[in-house]
Amino acid sequence: VQLQAFGGGLVQAGGSLRLSCAASGRTFRTYNMGWFRQAPGKEREFVAAVGWGVGSTLYSDSVKGRFTISRDNAKNTVYLQMNSLKPEDTAIYYCVANSMRVTTRPEYDYWGQGTQVTVSS
């Protein structure tokens, strides 16, 4: 599975962005998908994930209520809608996938190249 994330950019605090991650392969619908992020000088952090089955979702406390993860199996794409953005959301966002389980741990087999999100105050 190859993952390509895009949609990052510069936005003012309080604004919105939507990240997209396009996945290759015919078995996309059987993969759990997620997003991690890493800010300069900080450890990689779980953001959100969506399961392949009933589409159950999982969010970090820091983004719950502001971000929404979704997937379109027909387009082999997973999305991260980010609203009410804060300067602390500034990071490189990575799209991830695995076939085992939805988890907040970085136990994902496939990682995209990352897309930069910068939120100005």
Side-chain angles (χ1 to χ4, degrees):
V1 175
Q2 291 186 324
L3 305 173
Q4 184 173 5
F6 50 96
L10 173 64
V11 64
Q12 289 188 334
S16 298
L17 277 177
R18 188 175 82 156
L19 304 183
S20 301
C21 175
S24 65
R26 300 178 182 178
T27 58
F28 171 81
R29 65 179 64 248
T30 67
Y31 280 84
N32 305 301
M33 304 296 297
W35 294 90
F36 279 74
R37 67 187 181 185
Q38 187 165 22
K42 295 187 176 182
E43 293 186 354
R44 188 169 45 190
E45 175 189 24
F46 170 78
V47 177
V50 57
W52 72 269
V54 296
S56 58
T57 56
L58 193 61
Y59 296 94
S60 70
D61 288 342
S62 61
V63 307
K64 196 174 297 183
R66 300 187 297 122
F67 291 10
T68 302
I69 189 170
S70 61
R71 65 190 297 160
D72 185 336
N73 290 335
K75 295 182 178 180
N76 280 15
T77 301
V78 62
Y79 304 98
L80 185 68
Q81 177 66 44
M82 305 185 294
N83 298 329
S84 301
L85 282 161
K86 305 174 181 180
E88 51 263 45
D89 294 318
T90 295
I92 298 176
Y93 284 70
Y94 297 92
C95 177
V96 298
N98 75 19
S99 59
M100 294 300 292
R101 64 190 182 106
V102 173
T103 176
T104 62
R105 300 172 64 85
E107 298 169 349
Y108 289 83
D109 302 312
Y110 304 98
W111 292 72
Q113 84 287 3
T115 185
Q116 176 70 48
V117 171
T118 302
V119 184
S120 63
S121 57

